[in-house]
Every structure is written in C-alpha cells, then in structure tokens.
Amino acid sequence: MPGIPLPTIPTADVASHNTSTSCYVTVGVDVYDVTSFLADHPGGGELILEYGGKDVSEIMQDHISHEHTEAAYQILNENLIGFMATEPVLKTVNDQEKADDILPLLPNEAGKEKISSNGSAKSDMATKHIFQTTGLSSAEDLTTETDETADYQEHKFLDLRKPLLMQVWRGNFPKDFYLEQVHRPRYYKGGESAPLFGNFLEPLSKTPWWVVPLVWWPCVAYGTWKANTGMASPWMTGVYWVLGLALWTLVEYGLHRGLFHVDKYLPDNRVGITAHFLLHGIHHYLPMDKLRLVMPPALFLVLATPFWKLSHTVFYWDWYAATAVFCGGIFGYVCYDVTHYFLHHKTLPSYYRRLKKYHLQHHYADYENGFGVTSRFWDVIFGTELGDRAPPKAAKAA
C-alpha cells in the first residue's frame, strides 16, 4: 500500500479504461491499473480485457474458470491507483461534516470502515496454502516476479542474472537438491528468457511457438501425399494416418512421464543433471518463458528419428503405410506443442480452460502427476490424474 492518499476516480472514467493501452479493473471500490500485467496473465491478456473497466470480484472467485488466490490479490494491490466514487462512497461522503477526512480514502482507516458499513467491503481472503513440492500456492504464483538476488541468497541454486547452463554443470548439485529446486518455479522479468548459454548459442535456445507448425506441417503434408501415392485408396491412407495420431497421444504421455520426468532414475552426476535441465528441467524452473516452451526443431528432429525407424519397423510390410502413421504422429506432436504454449499463455474456450487449469496444476502443485497435456485420458488409464482438491502436503503460509 502506498503511503500517500490515492484519488477517488469517477465511475465513468474507470469504465473508459478498457483497452490494451490502458486497462483498469475494480474489486469493490478499489481501482487497479493492470495494463502492465496483460502480457503476463496466465490466462492471456484477452481475458482481462473482457473485464476492462469492470468489477472482477465474481470472476476471480469463479470455481469453473479458476478461483484466484491471495497471490492474485497481491498482484492487484501492487497496481492499486485509487478508489471508485460508487454510491456507497458518495453516501459516506455526504454523511460526513469533513469529507476530506475520508476522501481520498487511503490511508485513513476510518473511511474504509465507514464504506464497509455501507456494503462495499471486499470479502476476507482465504488462508494461503503452500504446496511443499513447489513452494507455490496457485497458478498466479507462476507469474509473481522472482527477486533474483534474494532467491539466490536463500536457495544457493542458480543466479538468474547469469547464464544458467554452466551454473548447472559446475554446481555439482546433489540430485535430490537439484530436483527440489528445479521444480520450484521462478518467474524472470515479466516472462522474458533468462540467459542460458550467454554467448552466440543463445538464439538457438529460443523458439517462438509459430515456428513449430511453420516447419513441420509442410513436412506432414508432403509425407502424407507421398504415403498416399502407394496406398490402395485415400481412405486407407486416412486410417493409418489417424492411427498415427492416436498413437501420438500415448507417445506424448510416455515421453512426458518416462523421459522428461525420469527423476527417480536420473543419474546423480553433472552429466545426467545437466541433460535433464536442458531437456525439461528448465521448463519447470521457468514455466512461463514464452521462448522456451516449444521444442526447437533441431532437438525434435533428434527425438523424431527413432520414431521414424520404429514406425517402419512395426509396419515393415508397407513403407507407405508406415509413413502415413508417422505423419499422423508428427501432426499430433505439432498440436501438442502449440496446445502446450496456449495453455500457458492464451485465453481459451471452455474445454481448454479446464485443461489449462489442469496443466498449470502440474507446475504449481504436483509435478509427479498430471503428465497429459492435450488430454487427461492416459493419466486416467495409468492412475496419474491430478485431483481438484489441495493435496495433503499443503501447508499454511505465514
């Protein structure tokens, strides 16, 4: 809270601030300028703009879309700019002999109490809980900026101001300590990319989401056409292609659980830990990094090559059928990577909002379950589905 009085803003003025260049929201009589937070909102800035100039009390407590926690209100408080001249405020002013005793309202507590008695007080926030495995309490915590200096001094892990890769390599961190720290998400300067290599290789570690479909969908189209030239009919090509797409969903789950989260079997040495960090650890450490969320094409090419050979081994009797299966699988991968990015950074339709809530829970609550990204199906089958309730390891924050 600032130490000087804040202005009372006319209702019409608040309502007019509903664009990406100037966006206000209110909770009760409190007015917040959230323009700078639009790009960093886990649900995407478009969702906030829908409520630009309006009260967000109900949507912030909506269980279906996502119930916000104390962390979200903390972010709002950092952007408090004034108070709205609603009817309860004006009634309170008119009842006073000295209106300036309560207007501006802050920091005069008497004014706040009087307005509360007129029915516009904000409800008390629930007790904050912390998930022990991640140190976070909600999806909003994923976008609470990390104090690089304080974080390094407290945890003695990685300094976000310096290239990360060599810190991991030279750190000689015990495996248990590394796994504990890398799964405690940090948020770097508004979601930008922290330095990884610190040299000419840095651009190779960053991939905008649109690069993935731009590179691979033309390859899928050509491969599908090539497969179709040797098949009995387009219908048969489609059957094998859809089979590949279905198999991808299992591969997606298997890679996420069996390779990216091979934590229990990770070698306790710098080679294994550094490889883990590059492959998936950095994503859990900095989950809202927009340029390290999808897989660089060169890395995917390395991972895809064995699956090309596998598809042609399994379907050895027909090269064209094997190619159709492979192309369906690659199409599924592209959908997975794009979906993954959108779950972190975009406003989505109803089904995907539920999926978004589910996936972000994998980051802030329980990284040992919830491996499905495009679907919960295989999580249900293999017993790794995340529940909606707070886990028993949750602890109250001070």
Side-chain angles (χ1 to χ4, degrees), residues 49-64:
L49 288 174
E50 289 181 25
Y51 294 87
K54 303 174 184 176
D55 190 283
V56 295
S57 300
E58 288 189 15
I59 190 64
M60 291 187 71
Q61 297 173 13
D62 183 16
H63 293 275
I64 297 176

Side-chain angles (χ1 to χ4, degrees), residues 79-398:
N79 295 283
L80 180 67
I81 60 168
F83 302 91
M84 191 163 61
T86 58
E87 259 187 57
V89 174
L90 296 175
K91 181 178 183 299
T92 304
V93 173
N94 291 331
D95 288 345
Q96 306 305 306
E97 292 182 3
K98 294 182 179 181
D100 57 353
D101 281 349
I102 65 165
L103 282 176
L105 298 179
L106 201 69
N108 194 312
E109 292 299 325
K112 291 287 262 185
E113 290 175 8
K114 289 179 182 295
I115 289 175
S116 296
S117 68
N118 282 328
S120 58
K122 183 169 63 182
S123 59
D124 292 333
M125 291 182 289
T127 303
K128 185 177 181 180
H129 289 76
I130 299 296
F131 294 91
Q132 291 182 352
T133 54
T134 64
L136 305 186
S137 65
S138 70
E140 285 74 32
D141 287 343
L142 295 172
T143 53
T144 300
E145 190 167 314
T146 300
D147 183 325
E148 297 101 326
T149 303
D151 180 71
Y152 182 70
Q153 289 177 347
E154 179 181 355
H155 298 289
K156 298 296 188 294
F157 183 47
L158 301 179
D159 188 338
L160 287 169
R161 298 165 296 183
K162 301 175 181 178
L164 301 176
L165 182 63
M166 293 312 296
Q167 292 185 71
V168 175
W169 177 258
R170 295 171 179 164
N172 291 318
F173 301 119
K175 182 177 79 169
D176 290 345
F177 174 77
Y178 163 78
L179 291 174
E180 174 192 348
Q181 288 299 320
V182 85
H183 289 112
R184 296 176 71 92
R186 274 73 165 182
Y187 185 64
Y188 179 76
K189 294 182 179 178
E192 295 180 3
S193 296
L196 180 61
F197 295 104
N199 55 33
F200 68 94
L201 294 173
E202 196 72 26
L204 299 179
S205 71
K206 301 176 183 180
T207 308
W209 71 268
W210 48 264
V211 169
V212 174
L214 186 67
V215 170
W216 296 117
W217 274 347
C219 298
V220 169
Y222 173 77
T224 302
W225 170 81
K226 186 68 176 177
N228 190 59
T229 61
M231 299 294 291
S233 68
W235 185 84
M236 283 302 298
T237 304
V239 169
Y240 280 106
W241 197 92
V242 171
L243 175 61
L245 180 61
L247 289 174
W248 162 256
T249 64
L250 180 59
V251 171
E252 171 196 316
Y253 177 88
L255 285 176
H256 196 185
R257 183 180 183 182
L259 179 61
F260 298 163
H261 282 275
V262 68
D263 304 348
K264 182 178 179 181
Y265 305 101
L266 184 67
D268 194 356
N269 58 54
R270 68 167 71 185
V271 175
I273 286 175
T274 303
H276 179 277
F277 185 77
L278 283 175
L279 190 62
H280 196 60
I282 190 172
H283 175 54
H284 272 265
Y285 189 63
L286 296 163
M288 304 306 287
D289 184 332
K290 294 181 180 180
L291 295 178
R292 295 199 178 108
L293 228 166
V294 298
M295 192 172 293
L299 178 57
F300 179 70
L301 185 63
V302 172
L303 293 176
T305 300
F307 287 100
W308 167 266
K309 295 184 179 297
L310 178 62
S311 65
H312 285 78
T313 299
V314 174
F315 298 91
Y316 63 91
W317 65 87
D318 192 328
W319 185 92
Y320 297 99
T323 301
V325 169
F326 181 76
C327 288
I330 298 301
F331 182 83
Y333 153 71
V334 175
C335 292
Y336 150 78
D337 236 357
V338 172
T339 298
H340 188 201
Y341 178 88
F342 278 32
L343 293 181
H344 278 260
H345 292 291
K346 297 294 182 180
T347 303
L348 301 166
S350 178
Y351 166 76
Y352 285 99
R353 283 202 299 271
R354 292 192 294 270
L355 201 57
K356 177 189 185 79
K357 180 179 180 181
Y358 182 77
H359 178 65
L360 293 184
Q361 192 178 348
H362 169 74
H363 281 282
Y364 75 79
D366 183 4
Y367 64 86
E368 295 177 311
N369 289 292
F371 301 108
V373 174
T374 57
S375 168
R376 300 187 185 198
F377 179 77
W378 294 109
D379 277 322
V380 174
I381 298 298
F382 291 111
T384 55
E385 185 180 23
L386 289 165
D388 291 328
R389 58 185 176 80
K393 290 185 178 180
K396 287 185 179 179

